[in-house]
Amino acid sequence: MIKDEATLNVMVDTISQFVKERLIPIEEQCSENDQIPHEIIDEMRELGLFGLSIPEEYDGLGLTLEEEINVVFELCQASPIFRSVIGTNVGIGALGIVIDGTPEQKKKYLPKLASGEIIGAFALTEPDAGSDAASLRTSALKDGDHYVLNGTKRFITNAPEASVFTVFARTDPSNKGASGVSAFLVDKGTAGLSLGKNEKKMGQWGGHVCDVIFEDCRVPADALIGLKEGVGFKTAMKVLDKSRTHISAVCVGAATRILDEALRYAMDRKQFNKPISDFQLIQAMLADSKAEIFAAKSMVLETARKYDLKKNISTESSCCKLFAAEMVNRVADRAVQILGGSGYIRDYAVERFYRDVRLFRLYEGTSQIQQLIIARNMVKDASRS
Amino acid sequence: MKILVCIKQVPDMESRFRPDAAGTWFVEADLAFRMNEYDEYAVEEAVRLKEKLGGAPELTALSIGPDRVLEPLKKALAMGCDRAVHVKDAEVQNKDPWQIASIIAAYAKDQGFDLIFTGMQSQDRGSAQVGGFTSELLGIPCVTTLVGFAYDNGTIIAKRELEGGARGVVKLKSPALVTCQLGLNTPRYPTLPNIMKAKKKEIVTLAVSDLLKAEHLTKTTSFHPPAKKGGGVILEGEVPDLVNQVLGILKERTAVLR
Amino acid sequence: MKTLLIGEYREGTLLDSTYELFGFADQLGADAALFLVGSDSRLPACNCPVYLADAVSCSEYAPDLHKALIVEVVAKEKPDYIVFQHSSYGWDLAPRVAAALKAAQISEVVAIQEEGVFEVCCCNGKMRRSVKSTTAQTVITLQTGAFPLRQSEGNPQVIEVVAGSPGTMEFVGYEPAEEKGVDLTKADVIVSAGRGIGKKDNVPVIAALAKALGGELGASRPVVDAEWVAHDHQVGTTGQTVAPKLYVACGISGAIQHLAGMKKSDFILAINKDKDAPIGEVADVLVVADVLQFVPAFTAALGK
């Protein structure tokens, strides 16, 4: 649902200019230095990007999902690392508080997350709990008016830059399943919280990921989101529909950029006295990518609209994530092929994007997990009738 | 203090322009539109002046055209203008610069603006006439091609960009109209929160028929791409002859050796 | 048909572009008279009336005053066309004159088409419009370089023009251009060095041509990688993308990475020993010659 088309167009236009003038020119430098300059992050703050999905009453922009998706399509024309900076504040890092936080928790964190004053991180994954997230082992044992956290979280995006962590820990040791897990808001600097070394990743250099280690880390009882134990995992699941749709939009934006790079190259590059865009085998690759991007974009918009109408999109959002993540990887692969030898060379954005987009099939629920969700939902829905 | 900034909406200059059925302008369907780049500098300068004066001046943005011009008007509001005036005109592309200027002058004449900012030209038509015409119609002084602007209590110090990068410095008094050159400042990105806040700012709609009394003075008879460049020329021979040939070609086909 | 040409004078010099105005009048087949705020020590060579106002008393920039003087001369000469250069002086002054005369203005003319129809640029120079005036008198501004420079011998018949009231603005003076770092994207002329120049010691030869043309030095990637030129001069995929009015490629073969960075230039001149070099595909003129022989000779000829 688009509440105000002219206003949305001004927003999208602004993001588009910002991407072209500020982000794309420094992509390569950010990748080579594994660092996004502070000035750029400050500009992203000023633009209001951190508050895309936080409600207006907490100083966010309160965009509908369809409006947010349109902004994401534009923003993700630049390297995914920039979206990654705001990703946790816009998605999983803040939404848990939005959905299940107490008024005090919302007031304490949401305005600062919306302004980007603090960056949030989402600490769910562990060395032994990836797809099987519900089996996580980090424990949170009640001790007077505190909880004591012990355990290790792995591959936590933005952990090195984060000021607040949404941590999923088991409060009920006798319950090994999802309902034994609770969610906590833990501030950086809390004694007993430490960070591991930044991981050396295949791509998305400039975005940082590391372990978050809890060793007898004491957090006050009011750090429990919603002040209710055993609800945390459900909270995380509620957020996923929206965040999967969002990540699908990221994939569509990236794919659009990658195809554009490949097309320009194909029009410039001459072999056998012709631009290679004249050759049918190249045209086939361009066309396949174009059609798939269109399909993914249409799915994402349709899903977002349905969400804004308050309908259940659990299956659709998984379909989007499954399709879009796999699609952008095929688009990247074809783009490298179109560029030929140059596609293997770091000077070309296509080479970097190829490595960057591999992650989309893996995080926020692997493609295989999406398949399981979709199939199970199909059976459940069919069994009801 | 009252300030007016006049903005135009133009298509993205990266677009491919195709002549319309009448052959006198481009087809608008499928074009993406944006604020004329020169006008961004004008809005930015006007907003900076307002900020420098503690927010006191009332800053109005004006644009003429169909409903799509609400977008650059909203952008101007989000950048810091207080209110906007939309002169509604579905056929704005058929008005020549004289008519456009007379519409602006008709609106501005009783409003008591101390300063009027415009871009020095539009990226699509590029006639660089509207600013000058408007100032003459209003009987106020005008300086064009600004790359520097300072205002103090009714006195303007303007720096004009001249050929070769030199500047001409001019002093004048308000009320006045200034036209802005690229590079006058760095236009801010309207922040998303400001874009949202702009929704609450007033946009007044006026009918162009209420303001336009002038006839057009020029007529466009054709809109077309330039004649195709001939294929490349290969020159061989002795160096002195080659030098003369190249000098001749450059003089004839480029403006570089003037 | 009669034209009143508005000449330009700046800091003690009559600008050469004034002669393009005569070139236009010739093409139009019209008689010309000239109006100039200048100096009797710098008169144009022409056989026509020259209405001369003194630049010292009238100021080089006083558009309301200059407009008033031009309007007086127009009343006397009754020209069909009042012609300015589309320069920082001309585009500033022309609309004021047009408004005062209630005359149509046609800006940045690149060609004369049929009777009373002029071709102008639009859409950032990508397209053209044919425009016709509907008024008896018309103000025209000419795109720089679109019309030939026409000088003729002759003695101008000088008619002195004296200002009545002073202007409402004060011209404070000129400020010189700032020294800036290299920004190839803003240069009108770029002269680039490629591997064909041979060695680092030959870079000054190319730089000298850039200077003679009033442009910037560019470079292809191999030259930058070899550290003959600094990276901020690099044109191409990993350097800057440029579209100047004139691009001169010296000893550059035209690899796709370089072409991608400069093929949108308005006019491309390439100098290369190899007639079949790929740069020839985008060049308007390919000079088949040794860069180290052609470029110095060309630079010297420019100096004359």
Side-chain angles (χ1 to χ4, degrees):
Chain A
M1 181 191 351
I2 294 182
K3 290 184 301 219
D4 178 340
E5 182 151 7
T7 297
L8 178 65
N9 286 346
V10 179
M11 288 194 187
V12 166
D13 189 65
T14 301
I15 301 298
S16 174
Q17 248 189 301
F18 179 67
V19 161
K20 238 190 314 217
E21 292 169 8
R22 300 294 289 137
L23 298 184
I24 293 181
I26 61 156
E27 280 177 349
E28 195 181 330
Q29 168 204 326
C30 290
S31 178
E32 295 298 304
N33 297 340
D34 190 21
Q35 188 78 253
I36 300 174
H38 289 300
E39 309 85 71
I40 296 293
I41 301 188
D42 284 340
E43 286 183 57
M44 292 174 72
R45 279 192 183 101
E46 257 205 67
L47 269 181
L49 289 174
F50 285 87
L52 284 183
S53 62
I54 290 176
E56 281 185 85
E57 68 185 288
Y58 295 106
D59 301 345
L61 290 170
L63 296 184
T64 63
L65 188 54
E66 186 178 356
E67 291 170 339
E68 182 185 318
I69 291 313
N70 276 288
V71 171
V72 170
F73 287 151
E74 276 315 310
L75 182 61
C76 293
Q77 300 288 310
S79 162
I81 60 172
F82 299 112
R83 197 262 359 161
S84 191
V85 172
I86 59 159
T88 35
N89 288 36
V90 169
I92 48 185
L95 291 180
I97 307 172
V98 173
I99 294 174
D100 280 335
T102 63
E104 289 73 30
Q105 287 165 341
K106 290 185 191 181
K107 239 197 319 214
K108 179 176 178 193
Y109 290 107
L110 290 182
K112 292 196 177 147
L113 286 168
S115 71
E117 188 185 324
I118 57 177
I119 290 176
F122 188 79
L124 172 65
T125 303
E126 296 181 358
D128 291 327
S131 287
D132 186 11
S135 73
L136 62 85
R137 293 194 197 167
T138 299
S139 60
L141 297 176
K142 194 98 193 281
D143 179 23
D145 57 0
H146 278 76
Y147 284 88
V148 181
L149 270 55
N150 274 288
T152 305
K153 296 296 185 182
R154 174 139 297 172
F155 299 155
I156 306 306
T157 306
N158 291 336
E161 288 81 19
S163 297
V164 65
F165 297 85
T166 305
V167 184
F168 294 83
R170 192 168 303 283
T171 36
D172 182 354
S174 64
N175 185 339
K176 298 284 180 219
S179 51
V181 172
S182 307
F184 294 88
L185 292 165
V186 184
D187 292 330
K188 172 169 99 163
T190 306
L193 187 161
S194 61
L195 300 181
K197 262 186 16 189
N198 287 6
E199 300 283 2
K200 296 215 269 247
K201 311 188 311 301
M202 178 192 285
Q204 297 203 27
W205 298 340
H208 303 140
V209 144
C210 66
D211 282 359
V212 183
I213 303 144
F214 298 91
E215 289 167 303
D216 289 336
C217 178
R218 299 178 68 84
V219 303
D222 63 6
L224 174 64
I225 297 186
L227 299 179
K228 272 209 293 261
E229 282 187 21
V231 150
F233 208 78
K234 286 223 206 84
T235 302
M237 296 304 109
K238 282 185 209 168
V239 164
L240 289 178
D241 285 348
K242 214 179 171 199
S243 64
R244 277 178 191 148
T245 313
H246 177 108
I247 214 66
S248 306
V250 173
C251 293
V252 169
T256 308
R257 165 73 186 285
I258 296 168
L259 180 58
D260 188 62
E261 296 276 339
L263 176 62
R264 280 176 204 293
Y265 184 88
M267 289 168 68
D268 281 345
R269 171 69 169 174
K270 282 202 172 136
Q271 287 289 272
F272 309 109
N273 283 320
K274 285 206 256 189
I276 63 174
S277 55
D278 279 2
F279 297 131
Q280 290 183 336
L281 295 178
I282 297 288
Q283 289 174 346
M285 289 194 268
L286 293 170
D288 286 348
S289 290
K290 181 82 177 178
E292 291 199 290
I293 293 172
F294 180 41
K297 188 171 188 182
S298 306
M299 280 171 84
V300 171
L301 282 169
E302 163 100 2
T303 303
R305 285 173 192 146
K306 216 174 158 195
Y307 178 90
D308 288 335
L309 290 174
K310 308 245 189 296
K311 302 206 175 131
N312 182 311
I313 58 159
S314 156
T315 305
E316 287 86 342
S317 64
S318 282
C319 287
C320 285
K321 206 289 180 163
L322 170 65
F323 185 81
E326 295 289 326
M327 174 279 293
V328 65
N329 275 270
R330 289 192 293 268
V331 168
D333 189 66
R334 287 186 203 110
V336 170
Q337 199 66 16
I338 290 169
L339 262 66
S342 295
Y344 202 68
I345 302 300
R346 282 256 276 274
D347 295 342
Y348 286 88
V350 161
E351 183 276 335
R352 176 173 25 91
F353 271 93
Y354 178 83
R355 288 181 288 107
D356 285 353
V357 304
R358 189 60 184 82
L359 182 57
F360 295 133
R361 290 165 59 194
L362 305 171
Y363 78 173
E364 306 244 358
T366 60
S367 296
Q368 288 68 33
I369 288 291
Q370 306 305 334
Q371 288 172 313
L372 296 181
I373 292 170
I374 296 164
R376 285 177 195 159
N377 283 356
M378 288 168 70
V379 169
K380 210 169 18 156
D381 290 344
S383 308
R384 271 206 283 264
S385 50
Chain B
M1 182 177 176
K2 290 177 75 170
I3 306 175
L4 176 67
V5 59
C6 301
I7 64 181
K8 182 181 183 185
Q9 187 183 46
V10 299
D12 183 341
M13 285 296 126
E14 299 292 302
S15 313
R16 285 188 57 192
F17 295 101
R18 291 172 298 130
D20 61 10
T24 56
W25 202 224
F26 46 74
V27 175
E28 290 198 356
D30 300 332
L31 289 179
F33 286 89
R34 48 159 309 181
M35 190 190 293
N36 181 34
E37 195 179 356
Y38 295 87
D39 299 341
E40 291 188 350
Y41 291 87
V43 172
E44 177 65 27
E45 199 62 34
V47 171
R48 285 189 189 192
L49 178 61
K50 180 183 154 81
E51 286 171 346
K52 182 159 169 258
L53 297 176
E58 183 194 63
L59 178 47
T60 301
L62 176 145
S63 193
I64 307 168
D67 284 345
R68 56 172 167 73
V69 309
L70 286 170
E71 281 177 31
L73 281 175
K74 287 186 185 220
K75 181 173 177 175
L77 291 173
M79 285 172 74
C81 294
D82 298 306
R83 55 193 291 277
V85 172
H86 172 203
V87 178
K88 208 167 154 120
D89 181 4
E91 306 275 304
V92 64
Q93 69 278 7
N94 293 340
K95 312 261 175 335
D96 76 357
W98 177 251
Q99 291 176 301
I100 297 293
S102 70
I103 293 167
I104 297 172
Y107 168 72
K109 79 169 186 296
D110 297 323
Q111 300 282 331
F113 291 110
D114 300 278
L115 281 173
I116 302 179
F117 288 85
T118 77
M120 68 173 266
Q121 67 189 50
S122 62
Q123 290 172 285
D124 53 2
R125 185 152 61 188
S127 64
Q129 296 172 18
V130 169
F133 282 165
T134 305
S135 72
E136 290 290 315
L137 286 167
L138 292 172
I140 59 177
C142 162
V143 188
T144 69
T145 328
L146 261 59
V147 286
F149 173 83
Y151 175 85
D152 185 19
N153 219 4
T155 300
I156 298 160
I157 306 219
K159 295 195 183 181
R160 305 186 62 236
E161 187 185 62
L162 308 178
E163 286 71 18
R167 281 101 196 280
V169 185
V170 185
K171 209 171 182 181
L172 63 156
K173 290 214 171 312
S174 67
L177 185 147
V178 297
T179 82
C180 304
Q181 170 60 298
L182 306 178
L184 169 60
N185 50 47
T186 303
R188 66 195 65 193
Y189 296 108
T191 68
L192 303 190
N194 282 346
I195 295 171
M196 294 289 280
K197 287 192 197 130
K199 292 207 286 191
K200 303 205 177 93
K201 294 185 178 179
E202 180 195 21
I203 302 183
V204 171
T205 307
L206 301 175
V208 68
S209 50
D210 291 343
L211 295 171
L212 173 64
K213 310 293 175 216
E215 290 298 316
H216 58 253
L217 299 182
T218 56
K219 201 163 158 349
T220 300
T221 58
S222 167
F223 173 78
H224 51 270
K228 273 214 176 318
K229 263 216 285 205
V233 162
I234 299 182
L235 301 178
E236 293 176 274
E238 295 300 317
V239 165
D241 293 327
L242 291 173
V243 167
N244 285 329
Q245 281 183 278
V246 171
L247 280 174
I249 294 175
L250 287 185
K251 277 212 182 101
E252 194 192 298
R253 290 173 63 181
T254 74
V256 173
L257 295 186
R258 308 282 174 118
Chain C
M1 213 178 324
K2 279 182 107 178
T3 59
L4 178 66
L5 311 177
I6 312 298
E8 285 190 41
Y9 174 90
R10 193 174 125 187
E11 292 182 279
T13 318
L14 174 70
L15 299 190
D16 273 355
S17 55
T18 301
Y19 293 104
E20 288 174 34
L21 302 168
F22 285 104
F24 172 79
D26 282 355
Q27 268 195 30
L28 206 53
D31 293 329
L34 184 79
F35 170 87
L36 178 67
V37 177
S39 158
D40 57 12
S41 63
R42 294 273 183 279
L43 290 173
C46 59
N47 270 329
C48 69
V50 171
Y51 291 86
L52 182 68
D54 176 50
V56 174
S57 55
C58 296
S59 176
E60 290 183 11
Y61 182 78
D64 48 350
L65 173 57
H66 292 203
K67 164 194 84 180
L69 296 177
I70 291 172
V71 167
E72 273 178 35
V73 174
V74 164
K76 261 198 258 186
E77 279 283 322
K78 301 199 197 323
D80 303 283
Y81 295 103
I82 302 104
V83 190
F84 296 76
Q85 274 295 314
H86 196 73
S87 64
S88 61
Y89 176 76
W91 69 56
D92 181 280
L93 183 51
R96 306 172 200 254
V97 171
L101 298 172
K102 296 242 180 334
Q105 177 175 334
I106 301 177
S107 301
E108 208 175 6
V109 169
V110 295
I112 302 169
Q113 295 185 313
E114 70 282 3
E115 189 58 51
V117 179
F118 300 92
E119 194 182 41
V120 302
C121 278
C122 56
C123 298
N124 253 17
K126 278 160 81 157
M127 299 293 286
R128 301 283 180 275
R129 277 190 311 141
S130 301
V131 187
K132 197 177 155 102
S133 158
T134 65
T135 56
Q137 285 177 321
T138 305
V139 168
I140 301 272
T141 72
L142 303 181
Q143 186 185 70
T144 310
F147 290 89
L149 285 169
R150 192 267 277 165
Q151 235 151 325
S152 65
E153 280 67 50
N155 293 311
Q157 305 116 47
V158 178
I159 304 159
E160 223 193 314
V161 176
V162 178
S165 43
T168 58
M169 292 187 254
E170 184 195 328
F171 181 52
V172 174
Y174 294 104
E175 274 180 12
E178 290 164 0
E179 277 304 316
K180 301 175 283 206
V182 179
D183 184 354
L184 296 179
T185 60
K186 298 221 160 78
D188 279 341
V189 177
I190 298 176
V191 180
S192 284
R195 217 205 309 259
I197 70 169
K199 52 186 171 152
K200 185 172 182 175
D201 293 346
N202 292 329
V203 171
V205 170
I206 311 302
L209 177 57
K211 184 149 186 247
L213 286 170
E216 299 278 1
L217 175 69
S220 68
R221 168 126 177 232
V223 160
V224 170
D225 285 349
E227 295 182 8
W228 295 355
V229 178
H231 180 80
D232 53 351
H233 294 267
Q234 188 173 320
V235 172
T237 316
T238 46
Q240 298 187 58
T241 299
V242 299
K245 297 202 163 79
L246 173 63
Y247 190 89
V248 185
C250 306
I252 294 178
S253 65
I256 181 179
Q257 291 82 356
H258 190 80
L259 292 190
M262 44 65 74
K263 67 190 167 114
K264 288 205 180 139
S265 307
D266 288 351
F267 195 93
I268 298 170
L269 168 66
I271 304 129
N272 198 300
K273 259 199 295 245
D274 179 2
K275 194 165 146 177
D276 296 317
I279 192 103
E281 303 197 18
V282 300
D284 293 278
V285 176
L286 169 62
V287 176
V288 182
D290 180 340
V291 168
L292 298 174
Q293 292 195 345
F294 179 85
V295 171
F298 188 52
T299 307
L302 286 170
K304 299 212 192 92

